[in-house]
């Protein structure tokens, strides 16, 4: 009873709102346009977010804390002997990729070419503020005020010098080689033709927005054309191509308004925002096409204001509920609990955009529906606004005039009149005459159920293979240096991990034999660049025991080991502090480790990170490990999956607590099952289509929840409200009423998505595949699975009393129960 009262009260409220909009159509048509123009002027404040780590790395992670500790102990500018910038930060450095088409890079002519290229790059001048800057003004300087360069360049220079003096070239060891001055250098990430920079990812990440401009225009044109065709019909009065165009205009105005607010609040754009227009498009198409479908079901003899009010009463309640679901799911994703900033910012702006989309559909699109209604009620041509002559006058006109002015006049106001007139609509005729009878056919339904089982099996197969995508190359444009580097790096250097910094941040007993054994055990199995191991070898070479007192150990280290030319570079890796008694102590130090890896490099790095962290918690040596890539690996899976999990939970709670607003409690149960099935299939098929679980695909999964509800809610609600007929009959009626606007939405949405497939960007590729799968899987459920299941699953169309009355009045074989004094006898009789 309470549910019915609330339901009818809300419908009455929307009926009054429709009357209010119909009474002031000029205001509600002009106000959104004026607001959009005023806020659109704020694009002069357009800014781009270039910090990729801020957007894509988890905000709250142990790796960021470790990175800050590393920077405080060993600042990059502190290094005076070796270039360590790429080991601690993805900051200001660049690299060059040099490959040889024929022969080895170590061949004499290739060595000369590489060194010449290096000299040319370092001599590049950049004029700024009246001064010409070169590489020497920006580089890190050593003690002799010379630029620190990569060790591979020193190797190549030594090779060229040896050949020039007719000396034999010293053998080159790999991955750790010995330089001419006796210093050992790791060249595993420098030799092989690949030299790449972390600074390129930010420019390549934002390049997606630029390369997407032209395909997005084609997307808008394709969607606009198909929307106008879907709203057109042979009848020149009842055709509504302008309302199809205005549906896209409504979404565009809402996009412009939300973008203007974003600019005024100081927001910065990034390439993930390319998905927001498609979120708004899916939301807006369902709302506008449902309003147009409801308009076709109103009586043509009614006043336009009454017809608009009836449309609002019929459509706005489910549309408001779906909008509330959008706001809740994206609102949860925009909360501070979301650990990835790109996801949080996307959800925040999508939430604002959906709200304005909803308001503009109520006002702008509703007022234009009023104008179109006046043209229809006055029998004026929908394109030329000219009054269409009555049939007897039209027969006197030429054939081309009769073709353009064809319409159906309703001389008598009946319920069936306008419905028969609208049956000339192609999609409506297809749905009513062919598809409804076919999908509910007794012989078709088993095949639909069988096809659904096949769908579930393939989805399960993909679901079991889900992998996370923390690789930055998944969100950048394809034709960029980042992708070229990634391919070359996988080809040449996939056998070694990134250089891992092993930082001991507390004073330990380095002179203690057991501590020495622990440190050697921890670094065992790695390729090592270690001052500690080199120092122990140095002591062994002098026939000095490594088990010294603290003072002797430190004195030999400072005065002997670090004073040698081949070991002086290790002074960058050790921090000394003077004690109160005047002696020095090692308070912090670092070593560098490189692990052998296979093809699954990222998974192995994640496992290695977890293993070493667990070891650091139990070890008496207090150490941390760090590499700039760890900020993307650390807690990435949980950080990416958390917004989706929270949004799904919020959606379930909303569906549960809104049960009293639905026409039938089972409506929300059906919506929950449908959403779960769509999301399960989307995750599975997304994986089979080689889409990893990253921030872009998670955003699409969040939107998939809302898209599935938008599509299936009107259909299930219409079926639940049906009475006095069979299940199959009400499934057909629900498809006729809501299957057509759903089909129109799928066609227009698919046309809008297709141009995205041509964008040379991994981000848009992920966006296209996920959204396209969302549309296909949702259409499969809404137009096939749900209608078939509703024909034999609850809710029922008849209550027990109705079934009892029908049984008593039937003229078929019935069972008559007869009793005697001893027993009850069942006698079968024929009436």
């Amino acid at each position: 009873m309470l549910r019915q009262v609330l339901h009818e009260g809300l419908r009455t409220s929307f009926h009054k709102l429709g009357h209010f909009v119909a009474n002031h159509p000029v205001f509600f048509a002009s106000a959104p346009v004026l607001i959009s123009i005023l806020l659109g002027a704020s694009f002069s404040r357009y800014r781009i977010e270039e910090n990729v780590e801020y957007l894509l790395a988890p905000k709250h992670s142990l790796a960021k804390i470790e990175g800050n500790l590393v920077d405080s102990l060993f600042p990059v500018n502190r290094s005076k002997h070796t270039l360590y910038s790429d080991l601690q930060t993805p900051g200001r450095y660049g690299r060059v990729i040099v490959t040889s088409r024929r022969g080895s890079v170590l061949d004499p002519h290739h060595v000369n070419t590489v060194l010449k290229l290096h000299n040319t790059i370092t001599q590049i001048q950049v004029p700024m503020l009246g001064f010409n800057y070169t590489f020497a003004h920006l580089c890190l300087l050593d003690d002799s005020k010379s630029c620190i360069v990569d060790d591979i360049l020193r190797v190549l220079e030594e090779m060229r010098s040896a050949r020039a003096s007719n000396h034999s070239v010293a053998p080159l060891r790999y991955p750790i080689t010995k330089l001419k001055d006796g210093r050992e250098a790791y060249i595993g990430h420098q030799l092989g033709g690949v030299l790449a920079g972390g600074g390129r990812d930010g420019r390549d990440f934002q390049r997606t927005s630029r390369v997407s401009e032209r395909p997005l225009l084609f997307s808008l044109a394709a969607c606009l054309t198909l929307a106008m065709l879907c709203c057109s019909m042979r009848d020149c009065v009842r055709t509504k191509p302008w309302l199809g165009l205005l549906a896209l205009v409504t979404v565009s105005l809402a996009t412009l308004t939300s973008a203007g607010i974003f600019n005024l609040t100081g927001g910065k754009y990034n390439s993930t925002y390319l998905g927001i227009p498609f979120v708004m498009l899916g939301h807006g198409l369902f709302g506008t096409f449902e309003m147009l479908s409801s308009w076709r079901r109103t009586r043509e003899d009614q006043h336009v204001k009454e017809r608009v009010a009836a449309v609002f009463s019929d459509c706005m309640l489910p549309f408001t509920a779906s909008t509330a679901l959008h706001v809740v799911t994206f609102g949860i994703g925009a909360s501070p609990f979301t650990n990835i900033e790109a996801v949080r910012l996307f959800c925040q702006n999508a939430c604002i955009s959906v709200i304005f989309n909803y308001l503009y559909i109520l006002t702008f699109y509703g007022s234009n529906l009023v104008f179109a209604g006046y043209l229809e009620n006055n029998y004026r041509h929908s394109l030329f606004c000219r009054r269409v002559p009555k049939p007897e006058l039209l027969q006197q006109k030429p054939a081309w005039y009769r073709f353009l002015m064809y319409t159906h006049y309703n001389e008598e106001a009946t319920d069936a009149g306008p419905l028969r007139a609208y049956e000339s609509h192609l999609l409506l005729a297809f749905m009513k005459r062919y598809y409804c009878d076919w999908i509910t056919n007794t012989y078709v339904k088993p095949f639909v159920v069988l096809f659904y089982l096949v769908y579930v099996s393939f989805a399960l197969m993909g679901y079991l293979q889900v992998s996370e995508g923390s690789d930055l190359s998944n969100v950048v444009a394809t034709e960029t240096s980042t992708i070229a580097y990634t391919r070359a790096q996988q080809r040449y250097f996939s056998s070694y991990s990134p250089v891992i910094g092993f930082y001991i941040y507390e004073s330990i007993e380095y002179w203690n034999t057991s501590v020495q054994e622990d440190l050697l055990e921890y670094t065992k199995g790695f390729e090592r660049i270690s001052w500690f191991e080199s120092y122990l070898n140095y002591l062994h070479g002098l026939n000095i025991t490594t088990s010294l007192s603290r003072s002797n150990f430190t004195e030999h280290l400072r005065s002997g080991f670090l004073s040698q030319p081949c070991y002086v570079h290790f002074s960058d890796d050790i921090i000394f502090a003077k004690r109160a008694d005047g002696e020095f102590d090692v308070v912090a130090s670092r070593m560098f480790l490189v692990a052998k890896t296979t093809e699954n490099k990222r998974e192995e790095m994640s496992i290695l990170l977890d293993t070493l962290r667990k070891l650091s918690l139990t070890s008496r040596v207090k150490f941390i490990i760090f590499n700039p890539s760890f900020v993307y690996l650390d807690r990435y899976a949980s950080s990416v999956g958390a917004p989706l999990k929270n949004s799904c939970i919020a959606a379930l709670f909303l569906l549960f607590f809104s049960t009293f607003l639905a026409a039938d409690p089972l409506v929300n149960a059906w919506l929950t099952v449908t959403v779960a099935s769509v999301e399960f299939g989307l995750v599975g098929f997304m994986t089979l289509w080689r889409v990893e679980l990253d921030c872009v695909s998670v955003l699409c999964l969040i939107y998939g929840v809302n898209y599935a509800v938008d599509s299936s809610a009107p259909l299930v609600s219409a079926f639940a409200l049906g009475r006095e007929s069979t299940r199959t009959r009400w499934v057909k009626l629900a498809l006729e009423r809501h299957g057509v606007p759903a089909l129109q939405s799928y066609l227009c949405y698919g046309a809008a998505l297709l141009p995205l497939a041509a964008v040379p960007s991994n981000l848009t590729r992920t966006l296209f595949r996920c959204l396209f799968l969302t549309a296909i899987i949702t259409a499969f459920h809404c137009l096939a699975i749900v209608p078939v299941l509703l024909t034999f699953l609850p809710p029922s169309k008849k209550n027990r009393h109705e079934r009892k009355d029908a049984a008593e009045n039937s003229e078929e074989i019935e069972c008559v129960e007869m009793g005697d004094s001893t027993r009850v006898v069942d006698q079968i009789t024929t009436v």
Side-chain angles (χ1 to χ4, degrees), residues 84-95:
Y84 287 120
S85 60
D86 58 335
L87 306 181
Q88 292 181 206
T89 173
R92 296 169 51 195
Y93 68 94
R95 292 192 174 179

Side-chain angles (χ1 to χ4, degrees), residues 449-469:
V449 175
L450 179 62
F451 193 73
Y452 179 72
L453 296 178
V454 174
Y455 157 84
V456 171
S457 62
F458 275 93
L460 179 61
M461 182 173 62
Y463 185 84
L464 297 176
Q465 304 175 35
V466 173
S467 61
E468 64 181 61

